[in-house]
C-alpha cells in the first residue's frame, strides 16, 4: 500500500504552518508518511506551482517554493503516463455513466492512485468526491 498526496492535503498543511518554511516542520505534518510509501502526482505538483506563480509577494513566492522543494526532496513525483491515462479514461467513463464526474485534476489524482494501487491523502474537508471513485482508499490528513 501507499498514498498519493492530493493538493487539498498540501493546502491544509500550508495553512497550519503559516509562514514557516523549514523542511522538518513541513514534512512532520504528514504523519501517514512514516507508515507507508507516498508519491506526488505531477498534476498536484502543477497545482501547487500555480500557488507559487500567483503569490502576491516575493516572500510568499519564496515560502511556497521552499515548501515545494522540501516536499519533492522527500516524495517522488509520478508522471501522468500512458497507463495512468488509461485508468483516467476508465474512471471518467464509469463516473460519467453514473452522472458523477469529479474535477479533471482530481480524476488524474484518483487515476494515479488506482494505477499504483495506493490510497489518496486529502485535506480535512475534501474527501467527498474522491469517495465516489470505486475501489479507492481515501485517507484524511489529521491536522
Amino acid at each position: 500500500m501507499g498514498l498519493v498526496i492530493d493538493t487539498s492535503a498540501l493546502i491544509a498543511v500550508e495553512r497550519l504552518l503559516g509562514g514557516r518554511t523549514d523542511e522538518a516542520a513541513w514534512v512532520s505534518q504528514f504523519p501517514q508518511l512514516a507508515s507507508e510509501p507516498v508519491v506526488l502526482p505531477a498534476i498536484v505538483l502543477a497545482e501547487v506551482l500555480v500557488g507559487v506563480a500567483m503569490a502576491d509577494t516575493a516572500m510568499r513566492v519564496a515560502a511556497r517554493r521552499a515548501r515545494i522543494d522540501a516536499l519533492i526532496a522527500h516524495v517522488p513525483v509520478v508522471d501522468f503516463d500512458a497507463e495512468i491515462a488509461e485508468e483516467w479514461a476508465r474512471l471518467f467513463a464509469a463516473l460519467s455513466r453514473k452522472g458523477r464526474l469529479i474535477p479533471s485534476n482530481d480524476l488524474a489524482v484518483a487515476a494515479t492512485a488506482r494505477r499504483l494501487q495506493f490510497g489518496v491523502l486529502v485535506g480535512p474537508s475534501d474527501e467527498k468526491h474522491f469517495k465516489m471513485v470505486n475501489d479507492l482508499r481515501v485517507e484524511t490528513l489529521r491536522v
Side-chain angles (χ1 to χ4, degrees), residues 84-136:
I84 293 171
E86 293 263 356
E87 186 64 26
W88 188 98
R90 281 190 292 275
L91 289 175
F92 182 93
L95 291 169
S96 184
R97 283 186 201 106
K98 294 178 182 178
R100 301 176 81 180
L101 282 177
I102 65 174
S104 185
N105 287 355
D106 289 338
L107 192 57
V109 172
T112 302
R114 290 258 314 246
R115 177 66 186 107
L116 297 172
Q117 299 180 340
F118 280 19
V120 175
L121 179 65
V122 298
S125 61
D126 200 34
E127 75 278 350
K128 184 178 179 183
H129 59 271
F130 282 110
K131 289 190 175 187
M132 291 190 285
V133 177
N134 288 336
D135 302 319
L136 181 63

Side-chain angles (χ1 to χ4, degrees), residues 9 11-12 16 19 31 36 46-47 51 55 57 63 67 80-81 90 92 95 97 102 124 126 135 139:
I11 291 169
L16 180 70
E36 56 188 314
E47 287 179 336
T57 67
R67 284 192 285 267
F80 188 89
D81 63 12
R90 281 190 292 275
F92 182 93
L95 291 169
R97 283 186 201 106
I102 65 174
D126 200 34
D135 302 319
E139 298 285 333

